[in-house]
Amino acid sequence: MSDAAQPSAADVRAAAEAVKAALDRHLEAVERRAGEAAAGDGDSAVYAAFDELAAAGEAYDELLYEAYDEVTPFEIPGGDTMPDYTGPDEPRALTVFVRRDYTVNEPLRLLAQAQRVTDLDPDSADDEGFAEASAGRSVHAALGVLFGEYEPDEIATRHKEFGLEEGDATLWVSAGEEATEPGEWLAAPFDQADPERVICRFDVSTVFDEEDAELDLGPDRGTGLAAAVLSPGADGDEDEDADEDADDEDDEDDEDRDGDADDADQHAERGGGPR
């Protein structure tokens, strides 16, 4: 950003004042809801105040960084947070939604793998509606052949062999009242992905690896701080075992030295000379 486009001190000050005002409105909404008989009536006002505060904080943080190369210590939850669960307490049916993203970073490898499949099984191309020869020349056809031949989990495990690079992935386990009828949702399979019915979800993303790496930037960089946070107690057990091993070695050394001293005393009593 050029100097002319940088925010002024007045812009940053105005953004800070907007954060203060948004804080006041958020607190007022929370207090107002707490004083109401029906707690649910004030939820929408609290949510709106929260969103306003988040937007004001993000704007201030951005201006502060652009003007002074500084940041705030606050982290506003992003839009990927899940709402409160409103599904049945005892679900009678479950739906599992899975999304995996890939990038075709080695098209030639992808085409070669698809061609190998069709060479071994010419019917695989026919089953997917592609000509046998096109699998080795068209990325579109190659993807159809490979995903028709292999299970999604196997592709996820062997993605590098197929010239693919993994992106983000997520799995949602959603609750339902009753089982659906056969073929009922096939026309729109993902329309029922209601976040408020999600019992649990599991996400995979490189952004989590970056966040874990940031934990290892202190004065003891390289000491495995991230591993300690991710596996609490594991490193402590190893340290205790190491301490116990060191104590045992010290005791053995003391016993060896005591034994050597006793042998020397007995030799001296027998009038022996230096050994």
Side-chain angles (χ1 to χ4, degrees):
M1 177 180 294
S2 65
D3 292 339
Q6 287 184 343
S8 65
D11 293 332
V12 180
R13 174 62 61 181
E17 294 299 327
V19 172
K20 297 175 185 178
L23 276 170
D24 289 337
R25 285 190 291 270
H26 182 262
L27 179 58
E28 290 172 0
V30 172
E31 292 174 337
R32 188 164 52 250
R33 183 183 64 176
E36 294 174 351
D41 293 344
D43 286 345
S44 59
V46 172
Y47 294 150
F50 174 88
D51 291 338
E52 182 183 350
L53 175 58
E58 185 176 356
Y60 170 66
D61 194 78
E62 182 176 349
L63 290 174
L64 183 69
Y65 180 77
E66 292 178 354
Y68 302 111
D69 198 24
E70 292 290 343
V71 296
T72 62
F74 311 116
E75 181 177 355
I76 304 297
D80 57 348
T81 55
M82 299 295 288
D84 292 338
Y85 176 74
T86 61
D89 293 333
E90 297 183 4
R92 299 179 59 86
L94 295 175
T95 300
V96 179
F97 298 96
V98 180
R99 172 173 173 169
R100 292 189 179 111
D101 285 0
Y102 296 96
T103 301
V104 181
N105 62 338
E106 295 186 68
L108 295 180
R109 181 184 292 272
L110 173 70
L111 296 174
Q113 288 284 10
Q115 188 62 57
R116 184 181 66 83
V117 170
T118 54
D119 289 344
L120 296 174
D121 182 14
D123 293 337
S124 62
D126 295 336
D127 293 340
E128 302 305 321
F130 301 109
E132 180 180 348
S134 68
R137 295 197 298 266
S138 166
V139 171
H140 179 263
L143 289 171
V145 168
L146 290 176
F147 277 87
E149 177 71 14
Y150 299 102
E151 293 291 334
D153 288 343
E154 184 171 1
I155 291 179
T157 303
R158 302 172 54 189
H159 63 277
K160 292 184 178 179
E161 297 179 32
F162 302 132
L164 303 175
E165 181 179 352
E166 279 187 313
D168 290 351
T170 188
L171 182 148
W172 293 12
V173 179
S174 179
E177 300 288 354
E178 300 291 342
T180 59
E181 296 294 330
E184 178 181 341
W185 50 260
L186 291 179
F190 300 106
D191 284 356
Q192 297 178 340
D194 184 357
E196 294 186 353
R197 285 181 169 265
V198 173
I199 299 173
C200 56
R201 64 179 287 181
F202 304 93
D203 300 325
V204 177
S205 176
T206 55
V207 71
F208 301 140
D209 298 334
E210 295 170 359
E211 291 175 356
D212 292 341
E214 291 176 359
L215 296 175
D216 201 19
L217 298 178
D220 295 330
R221 183 170 183 172
T223 58
L225 176 59
V229 173
L230 295 176
S231 303
D235 291 342
D237 294 340
E238 293 177 359
D239 292 341
E240 292 177 0
D241 294 340
D243 292 340
E244 291 176 358
D245 292 340
D247 292 340
D248 292 340
E249 292 177 359
D250 291 341
D251 292 342
E252 292 175 359
D253 293 340
D254 291 341
E255 292 175 358
D256 292 340
R257 286 193 293 269
D258 292 341
D260 293 341
D262 292 341
D263 292 342
D265 292 342
Q266 293 175 3
H267 183 71
E269 290 175 358
R270 291 195 297 269
R275 289 185 293 179

